[in-house]
Amino acid sequence: MLSSICHEIDRPLLTACQMGLGSRMSAESKSEMSAGNEPTRVFAIGSCRVHTPLKRALAAVPDMSYIGDPVFGFVHSTADIHQMLDVNDGIMRPPKELYSLLSIRNEKFQPDDESRKRRVIKHDVVVIEISSIRILKYGSYSLQINRLNEIVKERAGVRNEAVVTTSPRFAAVLALARSVSEGSDPVSVALRDFNDFEQSPDDFYAAARSILDRLPMPVLLVPHVNLTSTGNPIPQRQIIRDALERIAGESENIRFYDPTALVRDVGYGAAMADSAHYQEDFELAMGEQLAAEIRGLLNTQDMR
């Protein structure tokens, strides 16, 4: 239960955690409390590890509003994020047949919709989680790793298996993708012809740094939890952590928050449902912590 988790966290977070135990703030109450003072618009980019905690935590506070992209679902890599920004800016116009592989969840989305251009920069602060150095490339497109996994399993008749994204297990998914890609339809061609690789530390840093160069507003950078159930760090996630911390140290407009320490303090089993998902009871505590980091980032901006 979240109440038991709260007792294991340090006191600054405990207060926020206890606040989250109350009833959710209604949209009407939030509107009334922020009348005359618009809430900070927080745009989230990443996986369920930032979207769900922020959505839950910010629903209960008057001064911030969670905003997710109405077109894209979850993204994980630097290539996914650049693609998301390119589509939003009208630079990239992917064919509708590939939407499912690119994590474009709105089938009615029109790539040439002028109203979407530069949409991301209209928000006050952006929270970006980058969780993978693995890139799946089909031509100029970045294939979202979980969507590819789901499509391959569906085609192969495989059900109810954990998402497989790391070697050597992911090699089996790659092989399976080639075996279910017969045909000339766009998805089959993509599954047959995509390339996969892992970024080097230098390549990851450069790609992540270039994302930040596209965003003029304050940004909170969040890596994946760098911890296994046995307490060991994961080399690929360490690359992400080191690069994002370095980038944040190079700019006063960027803040870095690593959730690993909180997961370790609470306990891996209490925090993590599996290696990629938070326990439901832990999500609110993480959301409150992310909100506190956002406030710290914005306070730093105000003092400049």
Side-chain angles (χ1 to χ4, degrees):
M1 296 298 292
L2 184 58
S3 57
S4 62
I5 292 175
C6 288
H7 292 298
E8 301 182 50
I9 313 174
D10 61 19
R11 189 153 305 277
L13 180 59
L14 179 61
T15 302
C17 185
Q18 289 172 329
M19 287 173 60
L21 294 173
S23 60
R24 293 168 59 89
M25 178 175 292
S26 69
E28 292 80 7
S29 297
K30 190 165 187 174
S31 177
E32 290 173 3
M33 292 184 71
S34 61
N37 186 17
E38 290 294 323
T40 298
R41 297 164 298 178
V42 179
F43 189 80
I45 298 174
S47 75
C48 61
R49 289 178 300 275
V50 290
H51 281 276
T52 305
L54 283 172
K55 186 175 183 179
R56 291 186 62 188
L58 300 192
V61 299
D63 59 329
M64 288 190 282
S65 291
Y66 158 84
I67 300 172
D69 194 287
V71 171
F72 275 84
F74 299 146
V75 292
H76 301 93
S77 69
T78 56
D80 288 345
I81 295 172
H82 274 296
Q83 179 169 264
M84 177 182 174
L85 296 175
D86 286 344
V87 171
N88 269 286
D89 290 349
I91 298 171
M92 179 180 286
R93 293 175 169 81
K96 185 175 182 179
E97 292 82 0
L98 292 181
Y99 281 8
S100 59
L101 279 170
L102 308 185
S103 197
I104 296 178
R105 60 186 180 179
N106 185 346
E107 295 182 356
K108 297 181 179 180
F109 168 64
Q110 299 296 324
D112 56 354
D113 181 358
E114 292 291 326
S115 67
R116 288 192 55 79
K117 288 189 176 181
R118 308 299 288 165
R119 179 179 181 276
V120 175
I121 69 168
K122 297 177 182 178
H123 300 99
D124 300 310
V125 62
V126 176
V127 177
I128 299 178
E129 182 213 40
I130 308 178
S131 56
S132 179
I133 62 171
R134 182 178 288 278
I135 306 295
L136 307 181
K137 272 289 192 178
Y138 169 60
S140 60
Y141 300 116
S142 175
L143 309 185
Q144 205 264 28
I145 199 165
N146 289 356
R147 300 290 79 77
L148 178 141
N149 188 65
E150 291 170 358
I151 290 171
V152 168
K153 286 183 177 182
E154 182 179 353
R155 287 188 170 210
V158 179
R159 294 290 187 272
N160 299 322
E161 290 189 7
V163 173
V164 182
T165 58
T166 57
S167 298
R169 292 179 301 162
F170 187 65
V173 173
L174 297 183
L176 191 59
R178 315 302 184 189
S179 71
V180 297
S181 61
E182 295 182 3
S184 58
D185 61 285
V187 172
S188 292
V189 174
L191 292 177
R192 186 166 60 245
D193 294 344
F194 77 90
N195 297 310
D196 75 290
F197 60 92
E198 288 190 351
Q199 295 166 300
S200 69
D202 288 343
D203 288 344
F204 177 83
Y205 167 82
R209 174 74 262 181
S210 62
I211 291 171
L212 278 298
D213 291 340
R214 302 178 67 171
L215 301 174
M217 73 288 286
V219 175
L220 175 65
L221 291 176
V222 182
H224 203 330
V225 174
N226 189 17
L227 195 68
T228 65
S229 59
T230 57
N232 297 317
I234 301 168
Q236 292 90 338
R237 296 183 187 179
Q238 189 66 43
I239 290 173
I240 296 171
R241 187 205 181 284
D242 291 346
L244 297 187
E245 185 176 38
R246 175 185 169 189
I247 291 170
E250 296 169 345
S251 173
E252 295 179 348
N253 207 38
I254 303 170
R255 189 180 180 98
F256 171 79
Y257 172 68
D258 183 355
T260 303
L262 181 58
V263 170
R264 183 184 290 111
D265 290 345
V266 169
Y268 190 91
M272 306 298 296
D274 54 45
S275 63
H277 301 89
Y278 291 142
Q279 295 279 11
E280 184 176 353
D281 285 344
F282 180 71
E283 288 173 341
L284 186 57
M286 178 55 69
E288 292 287 356
Q289 185 63 46
L290 291 173
E293 296 294 331
I294 293 169
R295 290 191 179 95
L297 171 61
L298 296 177
N299 287 342
T300 300
Q301 304 301 302
D302 292 340
M303 293 172 62
R304 291 173 58 186

